[in-house]
Structure formats: structure tokens, C-alpha cells
Amino acid sequence: MESMAALAFVVFFVSGSVALNQFDFASRIRPQLVARILIGRLLWISLPVAVLLIAMLWAPNCDIIRGLVFVPLFPVVTCIFAVSIALVLVAYRRSVLWLIVIGLLIAVAGVVYDLGFHPQFYSYNHVFGGVLGPIYDEELAVRPGLFWFRGLTILWAALLMGVASMKITQRPAVSRRAAKLVIVAGVTIGVVYGFSSPLGINTSESFLRSAFSGHLKTEHFDIYYDAASLSEPELRQWEIEHEYRYDQLASQLNDSVSARIQSYLYPDADTRARLTGTRFTSIAPVWLATPQIHILASQTDGVFSHELVHVFSREFGMPVLRLSPVAGLIEGLAVSLEAPGGAVRSNDRVAASVLFDVQEPEQLAESVAGTLSPFGFWTGRAGVSYEVSGAFVHWLISEYGVARFKQVYASGDFVDVYARSTTALAAEWTDFLAALPVLHVSAAFSATRRFGTPSLFEKNCPHWTPPYVRDLTLAAAQLAEGDSTGVRSVYVALQAHPQAGTLADKGMSRLALADGRVESVVRKYEGLSSDSLSIADRLLFADALSLIGRSSAASRAFLSLRNSYPVYAPNARASLELRSRSTGDSSLVKVLVSIASDSTKARDIGALQELNSELVESGVLNVARLYWASRFERAAGNEIAAASLAVQTAVFARDLAAKELSEETRRTLVFRAARFAFMAGDVDAAFLYGSAALAAATRVGDGSAETLINDFLSKVTWTNQYYDPEYYDIGSDGSTGLNTTR
């Protein structure tokens, strides 16, 4: 797509100038001449397209079919438009300079109008065709609006040719036909522009708001959401999250946002792509007049707080654009202040990258300088750019204060604000990292994974998702919903695929377990080294061993799998340990491997054993059943039932001996009970279990967990102080009972 946009841009100026020159030398301009020149210009496009096709011999194109579709959409339509402008310029005796000015004006003004005044992240253009979405989106959205817009370009070309004909011709009949063409094309253009938002050409704020069925007002936010996809407890959590993070950032930055913030919670990535052009990239467009955030409703981790930092930064950014001239400061500030996620902290990860030779100290200083340069941040690896700039900004604010940081954020002049160059500041920072007394136990592992991820510019075909990936993703989504209809045929069709075959084979193994064909799965993996198997393969093999009664072997397989996960993934480790302790419960395993909805699985586990507080004597098996029942209830949207079961899980786990369940898993289950209780609206239980989890994390010195739990307890305390459940009610105007009156 990018190559076709670049080609269209060149085609506009080359075809337009050549056509203008040919029209100038013609003694008389007739329709036949216009057609001949236009056909000649269109044939010329085949030359660069042929070069691109030949280049595939040594640089294969991943999506040649879709690329060829963009040939008529981008360069061909642009060529017609350029020739029509050339014809008008000849009719009014204007030089090629006018063509250049008009082309540049349309190219720039179109982007400014689309992105500068609309909550959208795509821009269609008469000159270069368009930009389909943000650079970081790995699967760009081809929306219907693109086709409508290029049709609009053809209409403009027809109108311009009509205007030129009226000026050039001396025959009244031809002039009348041209006038009719101008009128019809003009009226049609007006109608299309009038419906530009419904057609997908632009996304206005009013149209975007109308696309959401739910609207929630809080003190600082207008939250727009899909009422069918969010339960009342989930909506309440989002309400609390919005206002709590606002208060938190207002305190940290000693600032406030000068206008109400529009927060858009999209039900899924496809909906966001359809409305705004961005599928996987969450964005807070600070340059728009209205502060706003665009995220998925499922992104309940640090994504919202990250984007909210960007909204706050509007208040001290450059005039008009409200940005910093230094990209590293823009993202570095957001990373440094985003909500903790429980993973390894940026400081630990960056320090470990030096300590364990992931990168040299000199490289680290260069990385800082790179992220603070105009283009270095975007061209470098995202893992390096985000982590390094985040850790550096965190140190910069801690060392020199937020007031001075705001100054450098707006100006980008470090020498003026800090009386030090970026190189000198980077050296101070690396000295600080070298002096850190303790690093997270998984810091080196995390740094290697994070910093080793290639950037978008290092990937082949960065904006292309192969069809087999789409098929496998759809199949996985269907299985997650308990629907295996059609999934088997997808897996069978892909088993022979060179890239997808392995994944399709895993899917067939999962279906085999659900169907009771367990022996075939055992034979497939028996005798293979665990080092040669993926995590998914090892999980399938362990389940199969459980189902055929080889409990000890299955337990060892699950524990081995658990130990392959880093300690900053406590939920996965706890889940796998519980699997290892319940391999003898074939009834539970059958439910876990079944193809059924979450609510059905929760009901099936409940049918295995009465789940109530009288079952203290049932031991670790009861803990496992309670855990999985609560997990499925939560996934099904039954927050209150999930919270009750999660609390029971923590209570029963607490009484187990260490040989039955590890301290780490018990601690994880206690914090899980706190989070589930908070989701269900029980603030007291959330604080009780959260405090217990914090004490346990402190005992073992898990700094990342302490940071995460402290943040959680801070939110619980804030909620208890400012939120009155008795008055919680969503009124007809969208207002709620969140009491933030100080």
C-alpha cells in the first residue's frame, strides 16, 4: 500500500506536467486528444508497476494480490485527476508551477483537515490515494470509505474536464453538454460530502459519538461505550478507573486538563478500525480541540493510564499541536507514569540489559540520545525506545522535578532547562542504574525478550496479515465461544500449509481431546523431549496424560511447564500449578478441555461438586475446582458469582500445607480474590485480601508485585472515600453516583 501511495504521488506531478506540456503544444484541444494523452499517461504507470513486479524476484511481496488492487485505486485514479487539472490549467493559460502548488496544497491540506479536525487516524487523498492507519498497526484497515473517496476523485476529474471544455470549446452544443456534466458532477460531489461520515470518508465527532449505544458522565469524562458488551460491574470499574487515574496524574503532574475528556471504549478492534482507522494502536490525539482517548474496552491494564498521560501532556506541550518536539519525551512520560502491570519495572529491565550484556553502557547512552532525536524514536525498536525513554524520564522527574520536565517537554532544549546536554544527562542516568542495589529476578530474561523484538521497519511485510493467520484467529475465537462448527474444516485445510500446518495440527489435537480421542494425542507426543515442544504442545500432552490416568506424569509435565514461565507471570504459574495438583480429577480435566462456552463450563464444574463454604475438608482439589469455576464465571460476565468463588478459593488455599500448594500460588490467589471482590463492588473484601497479598509480597521481597498491589490498594482506598455505592445509578442523562466532591 505504501509503495502505491508513493507511486501515486509521483504520478500526479509527472503525468500532470507531461499532459500540460502536450496540451500546450496542441494546435487544438479535442476530446480525442484528451483521450489519447490520458491513455498514454495511464500506460506509463505500467512501467513502475512492472519494475515492482520484477523486484519480487529478489524481494518477494507478501500481498501481491492486494497490492495490485491498489494500482487502479491509487496511481490510476490519481493520473486521471492530474490530467483533468492539467486540462483546466491549459484552458486558463496557467503554467506547470500552478500544478505543483495545487498538488502540494491538496496533499497537505487533505491530511491536515482529516487528522487535524477529526477523531480519525486515516486520511484519503486525491493526490497520493491515502494513509489507511497508524504506522504501528500491523494490519491496516481497508474501509469502504476509501472506495467512495476515490470515486469522489473521479467525480472531481469529470467536473474539472467539464469546466475546461466550457472554457475551450467554441461550439454551443458542446458547451451545454459540458455544463450539464459540471452540474451533475457538482451536485453528486456535494451529496457525497454531505454523507462523508456515514460513507466512511471522514469520521466526525458527532458521528463517532452516535455509533456508541452507551454514554456515561463523570466529573471529568464523557465515556462512550457499547452497552451490549459491558456489564454494570465492568462499567463501574471503568468509571472508577477513569476518575482515580485522573486524580493520581493531577497530583503527580501538579496539573489538570482544562476541558472535559471524551473517552471511547471500543468493543473490539474491528469496530475501532471501521470507525477510526486504527485496529491495534490505542491513541490520544492531543492535537484535536477536544481531549480524547481511543482504547478497547478489554484493555483494562495500563493502556488507559498511558493514554491519559498523553491527555494531561496537552496542558504543557507546544502551542497548537500540544506535543513535545522530542518524541522520546512524549512516550517516555506516558511509560513512566502509566499504571503498574506487575511485570519487571523499566529501571530493572534497562539496568539488567547492561549487567547481563544485552547491551553495553555506551549503547544505552546512545539509545537515550537516539530516543531524544527527532526520528530516532520511531525508527528504533519499540521495546528499546519505549523502555529506555520511560526509565530515563522517570529518573529525570525524580531527580530534577516535574516543573523543569514540563519546560523541556515544551521546548526540547535540555541545555536551556537543565544546563546539561542530553549526553551528560544520559551519563548521569546510567550511573544511577549501575548503582541500583537489587534487580528483579527475571529482569535479564525480560530485557532479552523486550529488547530483542524487531521494530516495524525490521519486519518483512509489516502491514500484512496472511490469510491463514486470519483463519486461525477466527477459529480460535470460535472455540473460545464454545463453537466448533466449521473449525475442524479450517484446521484440516491448513494442515498442509508450510507456515500454518503446525498451528493447525495443534488445533486438531485439541479437538481430539474434546472428542475423547485421547490416545492419538498421547501417541503424537510420547517420547519427544519437552525442549522440542512448544508451550501449547506441552499443555496438550499434559492434558492427554491426565485423561488416560497417568496422573504422576501429567503432574510433572504441568509443573515443568509452570517453571518455564517467568515469576512476573504469577497468574499463569498459579493456574498451571493447580492443574498439576488436580491431574487425578478426570471429570474436571474433561470440562477444561471441552469445547463449550465459559458459562457452560462454570455450570459443569458446579455440577461436579457443591461449591459452598462447608467443603473445607476437600483440600487442593476443591481449590482447583473453585479456581476454574470463578475463572469461567468471570469470563462469562458473572462478576458477583466469580468474586464469591474467588474468595472461597483464597480461603481454602490459605489453609493448605506448603507441600500441597506453594506460597507463591497462595499469594496469587489471595490477590486474585481482592481484584474479583473489587470488580463485584465489595470494597471491604478487596482491601482485606489486597492487604494480605501485599504483606505476602513484602515478605518475599517481590518489588514489582508490591508496586502493583500498592497501586490497587490506593485505588480501593480512593474508591471507599469518594464512591458511594448506595447512590450508584445510571440516570437517563448518563450521570452516575460517583461522588468526587472534595
Side-chain angles (χ1 to χ4, degrees):
M1 189 280 292
E2 291 90 343
S3 60
M4 289 299 105
L7 177 58
F9 185 80
V10 173
V11 162
F12 178 87
F13 295 101
V14 173
S15 294
S17 58
V18 171
L20 184 62
N21 187 56
Q22 290 176 320
F23 286 138
D24 268 338
F25 278 96
S27 58
R28 186 176 179 184
I29 299 176
R30 295 183 176 183
Q32 295 86 345
L33 175 65
V34 175
R36 187 168 64 250
I37 291 175
L38 178 58
I39 291 172
R41 294 298 87 217
L42 291 174
L43 290 175
W44 175 83
I45 294 174
S46 63
L47 294 178
V49 172
V51 170
L52 291 173
L53 291 174
I54 293 172
M56 288 179 57
L57 295 174
W58 59 86
N61 189 297
C62 299
D63 195 10
I64 184 61
I65 301 300
R66 190 163 70 162
L68 291 175
V69 170
F70 278 99
V71 173
L73 266 179
F74 280 18
V76 168
V77 172
T78 291
C79 179
I80 297 171
F81 183 61
V83 171
S84 70
I85 291 179
L87 187 60
V88 171
L89 293 178
V90 167
Y92 286 88
R93 301 184 181 279
R94 298 293 186 267
S95 68
V96 71
L97 181 62
W98 279 76
L99 176 76
I100 296 172
V101 171
I102 290 172
L104 293 176
L105 184 63
I106 293 174
V108 174
V111 174
V112 171
Y113 174 75
D114 288 338
L115 303 185
F117 299 94
H118 298 84
Q120 65 186 64
F121 312 102
Y122 63 91
S123 178
Y124 303 140
N125 196 273
H126 295 301
V127 171
F128 57 82
V131 175
L132 303 188
I135 188 174
Y136 277 150
D137 252 19
E138 294 196 5
E139 185 180 357
L140 297 177
V142 181
R143 305 165 61 258
L146 173 62
F147 301 93
W148 283 106
F149 186 87
R150 295 310 271 168
L152 193 62
T153 304
I154 296 294
L155 285 172
W156 273 111
L159 184 147
L160 291 171
M161 287 186 177
V163 169
S165 296
M166 291 172 62
K167 178 69 175 177
I168 294 171
T169 187
Q170 297 178 353
R171 298 168 59 186
V174 174
S175 181
R176 285 194 297 271
R177 287 197 298 270
K180 290 179 181 178
L181 175 62
V182 170
I183 293 171
V184 171
V187 170
T188 307
I189 288 171
V191 171
V192 172
Y193 277 125
F195 290 91
S196 60
S197 287
L199 293 176
I201 293 174
N202 284 116
T203 302
S204 66
E205 284 194 6
S206 59
F207 178 79
L208 182 60
R209 289 194 296 267
S210 69
F212 291 87
S213 55
H215 175 207
L216 180 67
K217 291 182 180 179
T218 70
E219 183 181 0
H220 300 102
F221 294 88
D222 283 293
I223 304 172
Y224 297 93
Y225 63 96
D226 177 39
S229 64
L230 282 182
S231 65
E232 185 173 325
E234 288 174 323
L235 183 59
R236 182 172 64 236
Q237 286 298 303
W238 270 118
E239 178 186 5
I240 293 170
E241 179 72 4
H242 276 68
E243 289 296 340
Y244 169 67
R245 296 299 172 195
Y246 185 98
D247 266 17
Q248 187 181 54
L249 289 173
S251 175
Q252 291 172 323
L253 292 170
N254 192 27
D255 217 327
S256 61
V257 181
S258 56
R260 291 184 63 78
I261 304 167
Q262 294 181 354
S263 180
Y264 296 94
L265 306 180
Y266 297 86
D268 52 65
D270 288 339
T271 299
R272 184 167 62 179
R274 175 173 57 83
L275 291 172
T276 69
T278 173
R279 191 183 302 275
F280 301 118
T281 306
S282 296
I283 293 180
V286 297
W287 53 87
L288 294 179
T290 305
Q292 54 195 263
I293 295 172
H294 300 262
I295 63 172
L296 299 180
S298 59
Q299 292 176 317
T300 54
D301 49 13
V303 175
F304 169 73
S305 59
H306 181 103
E307 300 306 327
L308 187 57
V309 175
H310 288 315
V311 171
F312 268 84
S313 70
R314 292 165 49 99
E315 304 302 320
F316 45 85
M318 293 186 300
V320 183
L321 291 179
R322 306 180 185 91
L323 292 163
S324 172
V326 181
L329 295 183
I330 296 173
E331 293 301 337
L333 177 64
V335 170
S336 68
L337 296 182
E338 68 187 14
V344 179
R345 293 169 294 194
S346 293
N347 274 346
D348 287 19
R349 192 181 283 128
V350 175
S353 71
V354 175
L355 183 62
F356 295 97
D357 298 326
V358 177
Q359 58 180 336
E360 297 295 328
E362 295 77 12
Q363 287 180 299
L364 181 56
E366 291 173 3
S367 295
V368 174
T371 62
L372 300 179
S373 66
F375 301 105
F377 184 91
W378 302 114
T379 56
R381 291 188 170 184
V384 176
S385 296
Y386 276 79
E387 290 292 334
V388 169
S389 61
F392 177 71
V393 168
H394 185 273
W395 169 81
L396 200 60
I397 293 176
S398 300
E399 187 72 15
Y400 293 101
V402 72
R404 294 174 76 176
F405 177 80
K406 288 181 181 180
Q407 295 176 32
V408 78
Y409 187 91
S411 67
D413 191 338
F414 284 84
V415 174
D416 180 59
V417 175
Y418 294 104
R420 291 171 177 80
S421 66
T422 55
T423 304
L425 288 168
E428 285 186 45
W429 173 59
T430 53
D431 290 342
F432 160 78
L433 292 177
L436 288 175
V438 178
L439 298 181
H440 193 284
V441 66
S442 296
F445 173 81
S446 178
T448 302
R449 291 190 62 182
R450 179 71 168 150
F451 295 162
T453 303
S455 74
L456 188 76
F457 301 99
E458 295 176 275
K459 295 180 180 179
N460 292 323
C461 310
H463 292 305
W464 180 63
T465 300
Y468 73 84
V469 173
R470 298 192 192 102
D471 291 340
L472 289 172
T473 302
L474 179 60
Q478 287 180 312
L479 288 178
E481 294 174 359
D483 180 13
S484 60
T485 306
V487 171
R488 192 182 307 275
S489 60
V490 171
Y491 288 148
V492 170
L494 291 176
Q495 276 186 305
H497 194 283
Q499 284 83 37
T502 302
L503 294 174
D505 195 48
K506 291 180 178 63
M508 290 297 292
S509 295
R510 184 183 175 192
L511 291 176
L513 288 182
D515 294 342
R517 295 178 285 112
V518 183
E519 292 291 348
S520 64
V521 179
V522 174
R523 287 194 301 271
K524 175 181 175 181
Y525 296 117
E526 191 83 79
L528 297 177
S529 167
S530 61
D531 293 336
S532 66
L533 299 177
S534 68
I535 288 177
D537 287 320
R538 292 165 67 185
L539 183 59
L540 287 166
F541 186 37
D543 278 330
L545 291 173
S546 298
L547 289 171
I548 64 171
R550 293 168 58 179
S551 301
S552 297
S555 181
R556 289 193 299 271
F558 278 121
L559 283 177
S560 173
L561 191 54
R562 169 192 180 270
N563 294 333
S564 67
Y565 276 80
V567 295
Y568 59 79
N571 292 311
R573 288 169 61 88
S575 170
L576 289 166
E577 182 175 356
L578 288 173
R579 295 295 299 272
S580 75
R581 304 300 186 189
S582 55
T583 54
D585 186 0
S586 60
S587 297
L588 175 61
V589 177
K590 286 179 181 178
V591 174
L592 296 181
V593 302
S594 65
I595 308 299
S597 66
D598 294 315
S599 57
T600 299
K601 288 184 178 182
R603 187 186 66 239
D604 290 345
I605 293 176
L608 297 179
Q609 181 176 341
E610 185 69 19
L611 300 177
N612 57 51
S613 59
E614 299 174 0
L615 298 174
V616 180
E617 71 279 5
S618 53
V620 70
L621 176 57
N622 189 49
V623 170
R625 288 183 172 182
L626 286 165
Y627 170 84
W628 286 105
S630 65
R631 182 164 168 170
F632 291 132
E633 290 285 13
R634 173 68 187 88
N638 303 321
E639 284 80 8
I640 295 177
S644 174
L645 292 166
V647 168
Q648 291 180 60
T649 306
V651 170
F652 290 137
R654 181 189 58 196
D655 296 331
L656 294 176
K659 65 179 182 179
E660 294 182 277
L661 203 62
S662 69
E663 170 65 24
E664 177 192 324
T665 293
R666 280 182 285 179
R667 183 173 74 247
T668 300
L669 294 178
V670 169
F671 185 46
R672 181 173 177 270
R675 291 186 292 107
F676 277 40
F678 188 59
M679 172 65 76
D682 192 338
V683 176
D684 292 336
F687 190 83
L688 175 67
Y689 287 100
S691 299
L694 177 62
T698 303
R699 280 198 305 272
V700 298
D702 189 341
S704 293
E706 286 183 72
T707 302
L708 174 65
I709 299 171
N710 268 318
D711 179 74
F712 171 79
L713 289 173
S714 176
K715 181 161 67 171
V716 171
T717 302
W718 180 92
T719 303
N720 195 42
Q721 183 177 0
Y722 296 118
Y723 181 79
D724 188 349
E726 182 180 351
Y727 295 105
Y728 181 77
D729 182 38
I730 302 178
S732 58
D733 64 346
S735 61
T736 71
L738 182 57
N739 179 11
T740 53
T741 303
R742 301 295 183 264

